Amino acid sequence: MNFDTFDAWWWPYLFILLAGWLATDTWRYLGVYLGGKMSDESDILVFVRCIATALVAAVIANLIVFPSGALADSPLALRVGAAIAGFAAYLLSRKQILAGIAVAEAVLLSGLYLIG
Amino acid sequence: MLVPASMNENTTVESDSKESHISWYLRGVRRCFSVPGLVLVSAFVGFAGLAREAGLTLPQTVFMTGVVWALPAQVVLIGAMIAGNSLIAAAFAVALSSVRLAPMVVALTPEMRGPRTRKWVLYALSHFVAITSWVLAMESFRTVPRDLRTAYYTGIGTTLVLVNMGVVATVFLLAERLPLQVSAALFFLTPIYFLTSLWGSARERAGHVAMVLGLLSGPVFHLILPGFDLLAAGGIAGGAAYIWHRIRLKKGADT
């Protein structure tokens, strides 16, 4: 059973509810339940945070290395270079997310317009 | 900072009056019109482009934004849909990418709870917890009277969700007419936003190690283990970062 299994109008919504809403809000409700009972410095939470961080990082890297849509036609080196430039700008600007985004987008757009 | 500095936890305000609830709700609303709020909007602009490219419809994308309300989870969900993953595999990948929500809520709940706060209010408000609202709340709660923190957080949460549902719908309608370079730049917003905010949100050095290992292993596992790339990268890179953390702790204890 995947996203395209049923042709009914309600199937995508049910899919989003089960694979999206249920899979995220369960953690939030668990968090409220455990709230106060568990220390945020607990060692299990360090492990949990490591897994979660690595997973989100893998998503980010795949979006940059194997993009879909309009980005798919751009050179890999340009995307990776723009991401590295943006991240460097973020670190150099003392963690200003906007600076990172601005530099990354500037590099990407100049590259795209230069290529034509 | 939009709140007066004199308002601290000890302030004895008439918190039962309807007016103060409304006024703190509105302060929460205004707190969203800030740099973190703007960055989140730009990331949702990118997300809407991604969803549109993946073949989702406008109502489906707006619905997903409202009910999931966690951008990494939404990106993972779209990825699973494109790849044709089964419902179980998609739910598993989304759940794994959202584990971080539990500790975030664990950290926030004790700060948000007043002596008379009802349980269902906390459960309902937990739906709004995601990186941006969490950062805004953790920064501002010190200056909000304890009884009014739920009202304040309701302001932050509802504003961010509703504004970004509107943003997603708007981009969906406009994206068709954008030049190729601009759509490419929009798609690029999401990874860059997470690249920077994920680094900033790490609590310990192990988080940075996990992030670097995850960035490197994601594309590798995408090639050698298609379909299981995220689980493999999360488990192996995250596990390695945790082992690094334990070894470092042990060394610290020995010396």
Side-chain angles (χ1 to χ4, degrees):
Chain A
M1 273 201 305
N2 63 29
F3 191 62
D4 301 316
T5 300
F6 302 107
D7 205 16
W9 70 267
W10 48 264
W11 173 246
Y13 295 94
L14 187 63
F15 191 96
I16 291 168
L17 273 182
L18 295 175
W21 170 74
L22 196 63
T24 48
D25 266 8
T26 305
W27 292 116
R28 291 178 170 118
Y29 300 154
L30 181 71
V32 175
Y33 177 75
L34 295 175
K37 288 185 186 174
M38 201 195 278
S39 156
D40 214 23
E41 305 306 317
S42 145
D43 216 42
I44 301 168
L45 286 184
V46 175
F47 179 63
V48 165
R49 278 201 292 265
C50 280
I51 301 258
T53 304
L55 198 134
V56 177
V59 173
I60 296 168
N62 285 347
L63 283 175
I64 295 171
V65 178
F66 308 103
S68 57
L71 263 181
D73 298 328
S74 59
L76 172 66
L78 177 63
R79 297 191 302 267
V80 173
I84 290 173
F87 191 68
Y90 162 77
L91 290 181
L92 290 174
S93 65
R94 294 195 195 161
K95 304 194 176 178
Q96 293 296 314
I97 293 177
L98 276 185
I101 290 179
V103 169
E105 291 287 0
V107 171
L108 181 80
L109 279 173
S110 350
L112 288 178
Y113 277 105
L114 278 178
I115 294 164
Chain B
M1 199 60 77
L2 294 160
V3 290
S6 61
M7 290 279 193
N8 59 39
E9 213 167 308
N10 303 320
T11 313
T12 47
V13 280
E14 189 37 77
S15 59
D16 280 336
S17 78
K18 226 177 186 171
E19 264 161 272
S20 59
H21 273 93
I22 292 171
S23 96
W24 279 98
Y25 171 85
L26 291 174
R27 283 176 211 241
V29 171
R30 274 181 305 190
R31 188 72 183 84
C32 298
F33 295 90
S34 54
V35 171
L38 185 68
V39 170
L40 185 66
V41 164
S42 67
F44 267 101
V45 169
F47 168 77
L50 183 78
R52 198 174 175 286
E53 207 65 33
L56 267 76
T57 65
L58 187 155
Q60 287 165 5
T61 312
V62 172
F63 178 74
M64 184 194 287
T65 300
V67 300
V68 178
W69 190 241
L71 208 38
Q74 289 173 229
V75 172
V76 171
L77 182 55
I78 299 246
M81 287 170 175
I82 299 174
N85 287 2
S86 72
L87 178 63
I88 304 290
F92 196 61
V94 170
L96 207 62
S97 76
S98 312
V99 178
R100 57 176 32 243
L101 293 172
M104 286 164 75
V105 176
V106 169
L108 192 68
T109 303
E111 297 211 21
M112 189 151 64
R113 191 177 44 208
R116 276 167 300 167
T117 309
R118 268 157 291 183
K119 275 256 166 63
W120 70 265
V121 175
L122 293 172
Y123 278 101
L125 287 181
S126 76
H127 178 68
F128 297 128
V129 174
I131 297 169
T132 304
S133 73
W134 188 80
V135 169
L136 289 178
M138 295 296 265
E139 274 175 7
S140 316
F141 268 179
R142 287 176 298 109
T143 62
V144 183
R146 193 163 267 277
D147 284 2
L148 296 165
R149 287 181 184 173
T150 48
Y152 184 72
Y153 193 68
T154 307
I156 293 180
T158 53
T159 306
L160 288 178
V161 172
L162 291 176
V163 165
N164 284 297
M165 285 169 80
V167 165
V168 164
T170 310
V171 174
F172 231 83
L173 294 172
L174 297 178
E176 206 165 8
R177 283 164 250 159
L178 293 174
L180 189 69
Q181 284 91 342
V182 176
S183 331
L186 286 182
F187 287 144
F188 210 53
L189 280 173
T190 306
I192 294 303
Y193 172 63
F194 283 123
L195 192 63
T196 50
S197 65
L198 190 64
W199 186 268
S201 71
R203 279 292 182 76
E204 54 267 314
R205 286 292 289 278
H208 290 157
V209 175
M211 183 178 152
V212 172
L213 292 178
L215 283 172
L216 296 175
S217 63
V220 174
F221 286 120
H222 185 83
L223 293 175
I224 59 176
L225 276 177
F228 296 95
D229 48 349
L230 296 182
L231 299 184
I236 293 172
Y242 179 71
I243 292 168
W244 177 87
H245 171 78
R246 291 303 302 238
I247 292 171
R248 196 158 158 270
L249 276 186
K250 220 176 174 189
K251 272 191 187 159
D254 288 343
T255 47

